[in-house]
Amino acid sequence: MGASLISDAVANTVQSKGAAFEGVHTCCGHLLGSRVATVILDYMENNRLVRNSKQQGELLLRGLEELRASQPSVGDVRGLGLMCGVEFVKDKTTKEPFLPELKVAERIMDACMERGLIVFPGHGTVDGVAGDHLLLGPPL
């Protein structure tokens, strides 16, 4: 289940160019899909998963802050709830990134996967090309 919100200014600009917003997809308005979505939302509310995400996310972020403090290549950590990011840098003081060809995020992801931890690598943190980070998104 998803939604997109845009401002009137954006909508008016798109429409003034003769374009339209299409909201039709394969499962659009599918009754079973809609029912599944409402069951999931009820489950999330009844089991306080959003509150749990906030509490567990604070714990995760504290642990990542300890990692940042102790590791010379961890330049920054940030997050909200259980979605957190870890940025890797060549020089912590200047925030200089590693060279893109070193594929630092991918190499760290591989090491994590070997240990059973699924993370999502990213690059281009600095300028769209240079800069490595990992996204952590444990289940709610």
Side-chain angles (χ1 to χ4, degrees):
M1 184 172 262
S4 297
L5 300 174
I6 59 171
S7 68
D8 288 340
V10 171
N12 293 337
T13 301
V14 171
Q15 291 171 341
S16 73
K17 303 294 182 192
F21 292 99
E22 297 290 331
V24 179
H25 296 280
T26 304
C27 297
C28 188
H30 193 280
L31 293 178
L32 181 60
S34 297
R35 180 63 183 134
V36 168
T38 59
V39 169
I40 290 170
L41 291 171
D42 287 344
Y43 181 89
M44 290 177 66
E45 184 176 340
N46 293 337
N47 291 281
R48 298 181 175 105
L49 294 186
V50 174
R51 185 178 74 179
N52 184 60
S53 172
K54 181 181 185 301
Q55 292 169 343
Q56 295 302 313
E58 290 168 356
L59 180 64
L60 175 59
L61 203 51
R62 279 196 303 273
L64 292 173
E65 283 292 347
E66 290 174 13
L67 184 70
R68 184 192 58 74
S70 68
Q71 298 300 313
S73 295
V74 177
D76 192 21
V77 298
R78 51 198 175 269
L80 181 63
L82 280 170
M83 184 168 283
C84 293
V86 179
E87 184 177 0
F88 300 97
V89 294
K90 181 178 179 181
D91 185 306
K92 202 176 219 175
T93 304
T94 65
K95 302 289 187 181
E96 177 187 357
F98 288 102
L99 295 172
E101 55 268 19
L102 293 176
K103 299 182 185 279
V104 171
E106 287 82 0
R107 291 169 55 196
I108 295 171
M109 178 203 63
D110 290 342
C112 289
M113 292 286 280
E114 288 174 10
R115 292 163 176 82
L117 176 63
I118 299 172
V119 295
F120 305 97
H123 46 75
T125 309
V126 175
D127 59 7
V129 177
D132 292 278
H133 65 276
L134 291 180
L135 174 65
L136 296 96
L140 296 177

